[in-house]
mmCIF file of all heavy atoms in Angstrom:
data_model
loop_
_atom_site.group_PDB
_atom_site.id
_atom_site.type_symbol
_atom_site.label_atom_id
_atom_site.label_comp_id
_atom_site.label_asym_id
_atom_site.label_seq_id
_atom_site.Cartn_x
_atom_site.Cartn_y
_atom_site.Cartn_z
ATOM 1 N N CYS A 161 7.073 13.317 11.213
ATOM 2 C CA CYS A 161 7.866 12.742 12.307
ATOM 3 C C CYS A 161 8.849 13.767 12.876
ATOM 4 O O CYS A 161 9.180 13.724 14.068
ATOM 5 C CB CYS A 161 8.623 11.510 11.821
ATOM 6 S SG CYS A 161 7.560 10.249 11.083
ATOM 7 N N GLU A 162 9.317 14.683 12.017
ATOM 8 C CA GLU A 162 10.301 15.673 12.467
ATOM 9 C C GLU A 162 9.725 16.615 13.513
ATOM 10 O O GLU A 162 10.439 17.071 14.419
ATOM 11 C CB GLU A 162 10.811 16.471 11.260
ATOM 12 C CG GLU A 162 11.565 15.643 10.229
ATOM 13 C CD GLU A 162 12.807 14.991 10.808
ATOM 14 O OE1 GLU A 162 13.465 15.626 11.665
ATOM 15 O OE2 GLU A 162 13.104 13.847 10.431
ATOM 16 N N SER A 163 8.443 16.931 13.411
ATOM 17 C CA SER A 163 7.827 17.879 14.339
ATOM 18 C C SER A 163 7.000 17.194 15.421
ATOM 19 O O SER A 163 6.297 17.862 16.183
ATOM 20 C CB SER A 163 6.937 18.861 13.569
ATOM 21 O OG SER A 163 5.936 18.158 12.837
ATOM 22 N N CYS A 164 7.071 15.871 15.490
ATOM 23 C CA CYS A 164 6.272 15.116 16.466
ATOM 24 C C CYS A 164 6.818 15.309 17.875
ATOM 25 O O CYS A 164 8.010 15.056 18.143
ATOM 26 C CB CYS A 164 6.284 13.635 16.094
ATOM 27 S SG CYS A 164 5.355 12.583 17.235
ATOM 28 N N ASN A 165 5.961 15.744 18.785
ATOM 29 C CA ASN A 165 6.369 15.942 20.176
ATOM 30 C C ASN A 165 6.519 14.610 20.898
ATOM 31 O O ASN A 165 5.586 13.820 20.965
ATOM 32 C CB ASN A 165 5.336 16.801 20.920
ATOM 33 C CG ASN A 165 5.317 18.227 20.433
ATOM 34 O OD1 ASN A 165 6.346 18.778 20.066
ATOM 35 N ND2 ASN A 165 4.129 18.839 20.428
ATOM 36 N N GLY A 166 7.680 14.372 21.425
ATOM 37 C CA GLY A 166 7.900 13.173 22.227
ATOM 38 C C GLY A 166 8.221 11.927 21.440
ATOM 39 O O GLY A 166 8.761 10.976 21.979
ATOM 40 N N LYS A 167 7.836 11.902 20.167
ATOM 41 C CA LYS A 167 8.085 10.736 19.317
ATOM 42 C C LYS A 167 7.785 9.423 20.064
ATOM 43 O O LYS A 167 8.662 8.611 20.316
ATOM 44 C CB LYS A 167 9.525 10.752 18.810
ATOM 45 C CG LYS A 167 9.806 11.940 17.882
ATOM 46 C CD LYS A 167 11.238 11.922 17.392
ATOM 47 C CE LYS A 167 11.463 12.981 16.308
ATOM 48 N NZ LYS A 167 11.062 14.342 16.696
ATOM 49 N N PRO A 168 6.504 9.198 20.428
ATOM 50 C CA PRO A 168 6.155 8.024 21.233
ATOM 51 C C PRO A 168 6.471 6.694 20.565
ATOM 52 O O PRO A 168 6.628 5.679 21.261
ATOM 53 C CB PRO A 168 4.647 8.187 21.460
ATOM 54 C CG PRO A 168 4.183 9.112 20.385
ATOM 55 C CD PRO A 168 5.324 10.034 20.131
ATOM 56 N N CYS A 169 6.576 6.659 19.236
ATOM 57 C CA CYS A 169 6.889 5.388 18.584
ATOM 58 C C CYS A 169 8.271 4.889 18.987
ATOM 59 O O CYS A 169 8.528 3.677 18.983
ATOM 60 C CB CYS A 169 6.807 5.527 17.064
ATOM 61 S SG CYS A 169 8.107 6.551 16.318
ATOM 62 N N LEU A 170 9.172 5.806 19.348
ATOM 63 C CA LEU A 170 10.530 5.395 19.694
ATOM 64 C C LEU A 170 10.589 4.706 21.052
ATOM 65 O O LEU A 170 11.443 3.844 21.288
ATOM 66 C CB LEU A 170 11.462 6.613 19.694
ATOM 67 C CG LEU A 170 11.618 7.360 18.364
ATOM 68 C CD1 LEU A 170 12.601 8.510 18.511
ATOM 69 C CD2 LEU A 170 12.071 6.410 17.263
ATOM 70 N N THR A 171 9.687 5.077 21.950
ATOM 71 C CA THR A 171 9.699 4.478 23.286
ATOM 72 C C THR A 171 8.698 3.338 23.432
ATOM 73 O O THR A 171 8.805 2.529 24.359
ATOM 74 C CB THR A 171 9.395 5.546 24.346
ATOM 75 O OG1 THR A 171 8.164 6.204 24.017
ATOM 76 C CG2 THR A 171 10.504 6.578 24.387
ATOM 77 N N ALA A 172 7.731 3.253 22.511
ATOM 78 C CA ALA A 172 6.703 2.209 22.619
ATOM 79 C C ALA A 172 7.209 0.845 22.179
ATOM 80 O O ALA A 172 6.684 -0.187 22.616
ATOM 81 C CB ALA A 172 5.476 2.588 21.783
ATOM 82 N N CYS A 173 8.224 0.818 21.310
ATOM 83 C CA CYS A 173 8.747 -0.467 20.833
ATOM 84 C C CYS A 173 9.494 -1.165 21.967
ATOM 85 O O CYS A 173 10.448 -0.603 22.530
ATOM 86 C CB CYS A 173 9.685 -0.261 19.643
ATOM 87 S SG CYS A 173 10.429 -1.797 19.042
ATOM 88 N N PRO A 174 9.110 -2.398 22.329
ATOM 89 C CA PRO A 174 9.732 -3.089 23.460
ATOM 90 C C PRO A 174 11.212 -3.376 23.289
ATOM 91 O O PRO A 174 11.931 -3.569 24.274
ATOM 92 C CB PRO A 174 8.940 -4.404 23.556
ATOM 93 C CG PRO A 174 7.665 -4.141 22.840
ATOM 94 C CD PRO A 174 8.001 -3.170 21.756
ATOM 95 N N VAL A 175 11.687 -3.412 22.041
ATOM 96 C CA VAL A 175 13.098 -3.748 21.813
ATOM 97 C C VAL A 175 13.858 -2.624 21.115
ATOM 98 O O VAL A 175 14.972 -2.826 20.628
ATOM 99 C CB VAL A 175 13.226 -5.062 21.005
ATOM 100 C CG1 VAL A 175 12.808 -6.245 21.850
ATOM 101 C CG2 VAL A 175 12.419 -5.007 19.710
ATOM 102 N N GLY A 176 13.263 -1.440 21.065
ATOM 103 C CA GLY A 176 13.959 -0.298 20.489
ATOM 104 C C GLY A 176 14.309 -0.448 19.022
ATOM 105 O O GLY A 176 15.348 0.038 18.569
ATOM 106 N N ALA A 177 13.433 -1.103 18.255
ATOM 107 C CA ALA A 177 13.717 -1.314 16.836
ATOM 108 C C ALA A 177 13.417 -0.086 15.993
ATOM 109 O O ALA A 177 13.942 0.061 14.886
ATOM 110 C CB ALA A 177 12.922 -2.505 16.312
ATOM 111 N N THR A 178 12.556 0.813 16.502
ATOM 112 C CA THR A 178 12.178 1.989 15.722
ATOM 113 C C THR A 178 13.318 2.996 15.667
ATOM 114 O O THR A 178 14.145 3.072 16.573
ATOM 115 C CB THR A 178 10.935 2.665 16.331
ATOM 116 O OG1 THR A 178 11.143 2.835 17.741
ATOM 117 C CG2 THR A 178 9.704 1.834 16.100
ATOM 118 N N GLY A 179 13.346 3.748 14.592
ATOM 119 C CA GLY A 179 14.385 4.747 14.407
ATOM 120 C C GLY A 179 14.909 4.709 12.996
ATOM 121 O O GLY A 179 14.345 4.069 12.116
ATOM 122 N N THR A 180 15.998 5.417 12.771
ATOM 123 C CA THR A 180 16.626 5.462 11.450
ATOM 124 C C THR A 180 18.076 5.007 11.583
ATOM 125 O O THR A 180 18.868 5.676 12.232
ATOM 126 C CB THR A 180 16.584 6.886 10.872
ATOM 127 O OG1 THR A 180 15.221 7.349 10.874
ATOM 128 C CG2 THR A 180 17.122 6.918 9.466
ATOM 129 N N PRO A 181 18.406 3.829 11.023
ATOM 130 C CA PRO A 181 17.513 2.932 10.282
ATOM 131 C C PRO A 181 16.670 2.079 11.221
ATOM 132 O O PRO A 181 17.015 1.905 12.392
ATOM 133 C CB PRO A 181 18.487 2.062 9.476
ATOM 134 C CG PRO A 181 19.690 1.961 10.377
ATOM 135 C CD PRO A 181 19.801 3.314 11.043
ATOM 136 N N PHE A 182 15.579 1.555 10.689
ATOM 137 C CA PHE A 182 14.725 0.642 11.442
ATOM 138 C C PHE A 182 15.449 -0.697 11.594
ATOM 139 O O PHE A 182 15.989 -1.231 10.627
ATOM 140 C CB PHE A 182 13.400 0.444 10.697
ATOM 141 C CG PHE A 182 12.429 -0.455 11.410
ATOM 142 C CD1 PHE A 182 11.672 0.007 12.470
ATOM 143 C CD2 PHE A 182 12.279 -1.780 11.010
ATOM 144 C CE1 PHE A 182 10.775 -0.805 13.129
ATOM 145 C CE2 PHE A 182 11.384 -2.609 11.669
ATOM 146 C CZ PHE A 182 10.635 -2.124 12.732
ATOM 147 N N ALA A 183 15.454 -1.245 12.810
ATOM 148 C CA ALA A 183 16.173 -2.493 13.088
ATOM 149 C C ALA A 183 15.260 -3.686 12.811
ATOM 150 O O ALA A 183 14.642 -4.257 13.722
ATOM 151 C CB ALA A 183 16.672 -2.513 14.526
ATOM 152 N N MET A 184 15.166 -4.061 11.540
ATOM 153 C CA MET A 184 14.230 -5.100 11.126
ATOM 154 C C MET A 184 14.523 -6.440 11.798
ATOM 155 O O MET A 184 13.607 -7.152 12.214
ATOM 156 C CB MET A 184 14.283 -5.260 9.605
ATOM 157 C CG MET A 184 13.196 -6.158 9.038
ATOM 158 S SD MET A 184 11.556 -5.453 9.241
ATOM 159 C CE MET A 184 10.591 -6.895 9.653
ATOM 160 N N SER A 185 15.783 -6.813 11.912
ATOM 161 C CA SER A 185 16.135 -8.093 12.512
ATOM 162 C C SER A 185 15.716 -8.149 13.975
ATOM 163 O O SER A 185 15.172 -9.147 14.446
ATOM 164 C CB SER A 185 17.639 -8.331 12.387
ATOM 165 O OG SER A 185 18.016 -9.521 13.037
ATOM 166 N N ARG A 186 15.940 -7.048 14.707
ATOM 167 C CA ARG A 186 15.559 -6.995 16.118
ATOM 168 C C ARG A 186 14.048 -7.094 16.262
ATOM 169 O O ARG A 186 13.529 -7.789 17.144
ATOM 170 C CB ARG A 186 16.071 -5.685 16.729
ATOM 171 C CG ARG A 186 16.040 -5.652 18.241
ATOM 172 C CD ARG A 186 16.502 -4.297 18.748
ATOM 173 N NE ARG A 186 17.784 -3.916 18.182
ATOM 174 C CZ ARG A 186 18.261 -2.685 18.200
ATOM 175 N NH1 ARG A 186 17.550 -1.704 18.736
ATOM 176 N NH2 ARG A 186 19.434 -2.416 17.675
ATOM 177 N N CYS A 187 13.325 -6.396 15.372
ATOM 178 C CA CYS A 187 11.858 -6.425 15.385
ATOM 179 C C CYS A 187 11.351 -7.841 15.134
ATOM 180 O O CYS A 187 10.514 -8.354 15.882
ATOM 181 C CB CYS A 187 11.321 -5.476 14.327
ATOM 182 S SG CYS A 187 9.549 -5.630 13.987
#
Side-chain angles (χ1 to χ4, degrees):
C161 305
E162 296 299 324
S163 58
C164 179
N165 291 326
K167 295 180 172 54
C169 69
L170 299 182
T171 54
C173 178
V175 290
T178 49
T180 305
F182 182 79
M184 189 66 219
S185 176
R186 194 183 308 163
C187 168

